Amino acid sequence: MAELTRVRECLAQVRDGLRAYRLISAMWIRSLMAYRLSFVMTAIGNFAVTAFDFAAILLMFSQVDRLGGYSLSEIAFLYGATCTSFGLTDLALGSMDRLGKRVRDGTLDTLLVRPAPVIAQVAADRFGLHRLGRLLQASLVLGYALVVLDVDWTPLKVLMVPLMLLCGAGIFAAVFVGGAAFQFVAQDAAEVQNAFTYGGTTLLQFPPTVFAKDLVRGVTFILPLAFVNWLPALYVLGRPYPLDLPTWVAFTPPLVAALLLALAGLAWRTGLRSYRSTGS
Amino acid sequence: MRVRTGRFRLYAAVARGGFRRYATYRTATLAGVFTNTVFGLILAYTYIALWDERPGLGGYDQSQALTFVWLGQALLTVMALMGGGFEGELIERIRTGDIAVDLYRPADLQLWWLATDLGRALFQLLGRGVVPMVVGALVFDLALPTELGRWLAFLLAVLLGALVSFAIRFLVALSAFWLMDGAGTSQVAMLAGTFFSGMLLPLNVFPGALGEFARALPWSALLQVPADVFLGRHTGVDLLRTYAFQIGWAAALLTAGRLLQAVATRRVVVQGG
């Protein structure tokens, strides 16, 4: 009986969090829409920033037919998948890296006294709808890849695509939250987070055959970014897995995402508990 | 004459201030070094794959291409290719009107900000450039110059590149006098900076006319030119021509900045009056 109430309390907390997130982000969207032209411009800019990344890949392929043994359409698939996952997370949690600044200048205190979960407030803070630009660019490349890919589609492979996008977003979300938790300790270190978020998605745009074995091992077993898209995508493409992993690992991303999110949640709690305000 | 040395001392002090200011953020610098190193590693492997497929691409052998990657990481913040220099602050001062106070100071606006920005660039070169370069040299086989002369030639190219970089960003910041918001121009400048400097891919890998066009633009003075000097592709008369290219762009853009500053300053008087 006591456990049932605990579960209920927990669910209520999650509901509160989502509600706060919805309200705060809606407020930021309204404020963005007050300057509509500026919104359109930043959204286009967001689109262009990532489009240039893909332009670099196209320029590479103007000189070669294959990179690491992969064709342009296959790399477009890897690129589209990881950038879509990342775009989803960036849209939802893109402001998390401002936490260090809030810890530094003490404005986190304001969030602590409000009757809403802190993580929901931090995540929704300055919610940037213009980040849709990045997401749009990524999904266009993914769409292009899905059209031109030469793959024998099976139901399982079709199902794998949305699954991998969602789980990938979940894994990136865990990295964002974990990185924010780290900023409770090292307030000035927002850039470390960039290494894993932006760096991670840059890494995953290219096939694992490009990288040194130790690097691939690191992002498979230590910080399991390989589960964002490499392992499921290579299943779709019918390519051999890195490190001779068995076939079933392609289906483990949901598990990995859940585990990582749980760990990140734990890190967040620990970080928040350790928080001492900058005030006297 | 005394006035002139006094002026010099003032701007030297301002530059030292710019240096010291960035030197205070030690954790941020460490975090930045870490991030530059991670990106350097990722890019280096993609370049290896590219040069495995097409040896000698763009006239570089593989170790020269790898050197280019790490030079890019080392110069990224020095040249403020993705923003993060003085321009954000200057835009903010224009937006809030604090710029009026600056204009009353007995110092030139452009020279003042140039001095702070050069101080910042020097710190970034030492604080965020050296370590990633060392890591790159330990992990990969880089084409490092063996003669002292080429290192010095490289440093001069970096200094001239920093001047061009400043001149571009000064123009970007002044646009705030008319737009009241520098977000749009900053973003365009950042995009152009990463793409046309060679940060995404060396400009001599760009195909045909696009490559020639990109190499003629001022942004190539920020990374492509210093990197080529480092790799020993410009020597003798050609090296002088390369410097002339950088100086030409610096002079043209700094002059444009001066003219725009004069026009903008008159606007402030109108607004403040």
Side-chain angles (χ1 to χ4, degrees):
Chain A
M1 212 42 203
E3 257 159 44
L4 202 66
T5 21
R6 268 259 283 290
V7 169
R8 221 175 265 155
E9 262 172 30
C10 199
L11 279 178
Q13 229 176 4
V14 170
R15 216 170 32 237
D16 272 2
L18 289 175
R19 188 164 166 274
Y21 183 87
R22 209 176 53 236
L23 289 173
I24 299 169
S25 50
M27 178 190 86
W28 281 108
I29 291 173
R30 270 204 307 279
S31 102
L32 271 180
M33 286 309 158
Y35 302 96
R36 230 164 265 244
L37 182 68
S38 174
F39 166 75
V40 172
M41 272 176 55
T42 46
I44 292 174
N46 227 267
F47 182 97
V49 172
T50 44
F52 271 15
D53 272 348
F54 192 64
I57 292 179
L58 289 177
L59 282 175
M60 287 182 179
F61 273 91
S62 75
Q63 307 283 1
V64 297
D65 296 326
R66 279 177 181 265
L67 204 61
Y70 282 63
S71 68
L72 175 61
S73 57
E74 287 173 308
I75 288 187
F77 180 60
L78 291 175
Y79 175 98
T82 185
C83 291
T84 305
S85 294
F86 183 75
L88 285 170
T89 310
D90 184 50
L91 180 65
L93 302 175
S95 309
M96 290 293 279
D97 60 353
R98 292 168 43 84
L99 184 89
K101 190 173 178 298
R102 282 194 170 276
V103 171
R104 241 173 15 242
D105 64 17
T107 48
L108 187 67
D109 294 11
T110 340
L111 307 188
L112 290 176
V113 295
R114 284 189 202 141
V118 180
I119 191 161
Q121 296 183 61
V122 173
D125 181 39
R126 294 185 169 273
F127 181 85
L129 195 63
H130 61 270
R131 298 199 184 105
L132 278 174
R134 173 193 287 277
L135 193 56
L136 179 68
Q137 190 271 338
S139 33
L140 283 177
V141 175
L142 181 62
Y144 159 78
L146 289 176
V147 171
V148 297
L149 263 185
D150 184 22
V151 167
D152 293 324
W153 290 101
T154 61
L156 216 51
K157 284 186 178 181
V158 174
L159 194 72
M160 193 60 106
V161 175
L163 182 81
M164 120 177 139
L165 297 181
L166 284 180
C167 296
I171 292 172
F172 274 128
V175 176
F176 269 89
V177 173
F182 176 64
Q183 289 183 46
F184 279 115
V185 190
Q187 310 165 5
D188 257 348
E191 273 214 66
V192 170
Q193 198 167 342
N194 291 346
F196 294 110
T197 51
Y198 290 95
T201 186
T202 308
L203 176 91
L204 297 172
Q205 289 167 12
F206 296 94
T209 48
V210 163
F211 301 100
K213 274 252 164 61
D214 282 329
L215 188 59
V216 177
R217 258 185 219 117
V219 293
T220 308
F221 300 117
I222 299 173
L223 185 73
L225 290 173
F227 294 82
V228 169
N229 77 334
W230 274 352
L231 300 173
L234 297 188
Y235 173 80
V236 173
L237 296 174
R239 288 284 193 149
Y241 298 152
L243 315 173
D244 300 319
L245 292 166
T247 316
W248 54 263
V249 291
F251 300 91
T252 51
L255 227 68
V256 173
L259 186 70
L260 276 185
L261 281 169
L263 281 175
L266 205 66
W268 172 264
R269 281 204 157 178
T270 318
L272 191 59
R273 285 226 182 101
S274 74
Y275 172 68
R276 298 272 177 278
S277 173
T278 46
S280 51
Chain B
M1 202 59 210
R2 195 185 293 150
V3 175
R4 197 168 278 168
T5 46
R7 275 283 146 95
F8 179 76
R9 290 229 309 262
L10 166 70
Y11 293 121
V14 172
R16 269 200 302 280
F19 183 96
R20 262 208 302 271
R21 181 164 160 202
Y22 281 83
T24 5
Y25 300 113
R26 270 187 222 140
T27 327
T29 305
L30 276 177
V33 164
F34 178 76
T35 308
N36 286 143
T37 309
V38 169
F39 269 94
L41 280 173
I42 295 171
L43 285 178
Y45 284 113
T46 62
Y47 278 41
I48 289 175
L50 192 60
W51 263 264
D52 269 349
E53 200 74 24
R54 276 284 305 275
L57 180 61
Y60 295 137
D61 63 26
Q62 196 174 73
S63 73
Q64 287 177 320
L66 290 174
T67 312
F68 194 99
V69 169
W70 291 97
L71 283 173
Q73 292 304 316
L75 294 182
L76 178 69
T77 47
V78 177
M79 301 299 175
L81 288 175
M82 301 180 87
F86 73 98
E87 64 278 12
E89 199 185 339
L90 179 52
I91 288 171
E92 194 54 22
R93 293 189 76 80
I94 294 171
R95 205 179 59 76
T96 55
D98 288 344
I99 191 75
V101 183
D102 301 347
L103 290 172
Y104 270 115
R105 294 213 177 101
D108 179 73
L109 193 69
Q110 194 185 29
L111 278 176
W112 173 282
W113 288 105
L114 175 62
T116 52
D117 201 51
L118 286 180
R120 177 201 62 81
L122 180 63
F123 174 75
Q124 304 284 34
L125 185 66
L126 298 174
R128 287 188 62 168
V130 174
V131 175
M133 198 72 201
V134 170
V135 173
L138 289 176
V139 180
F140 302 98
D141 176 26
L142 300 189
L144 302 176
T146 44
E147 331 79 275
L148 178 68
R150 213 199 292 167
W151 283 95
L152 295 176
F154 166 71
L155 287 179
L156 179 57
V158 169
L159 174 67
L160 294 176
L163 277 179
V164 177
S165 163
F166 166 81
I168 295 171
R169 286 175 292 124
F170 190 66
L171 287 171
V172 167
L174 288 189
S175 75
F177 273 111
W178 287 270
L179 300 172
M180 283 299 136
D181 169 58
T185 34
S186 297
Q187 196 162 37
V188 172
M190 193 193 91
L191 282 174
T194 44
F195 194 72
F196 290 117
S197 63
M199 191 68 212
L200 283 179
L201 207 60
L203 298 181
N204 28 12
V205 174
F206 283 25
L210 178 63
E212 272 168 46
F213 175 66
R215 283 192 293 275
L217 294 176
W219 290 282
S220 76
L222 309 189
L223 173 59
Q224 185 69 47
V225 168
D228 279 340
V229 171
F230 190 85
L231 294 172
R233 281 165 66 110
H234 301 298
T235 46
V237 184
D238 189 31
L239 182 63
L240 295 180
R241 250 203 305 273
T242 309
Y243 288 147
F245 171 79
Q246 287 183 304
I247 293 169
W249 270 121
L253 294 170
L254 287 170
T255 313
R258 282 232 84 92
L259 295 174
L260 206 62
Q261 176 186 330
V263 180
T265 317
R266 275 201 293 278
R267 277 178 65 88
V268 173
V269 178
V270 174
Q271 249 196 5

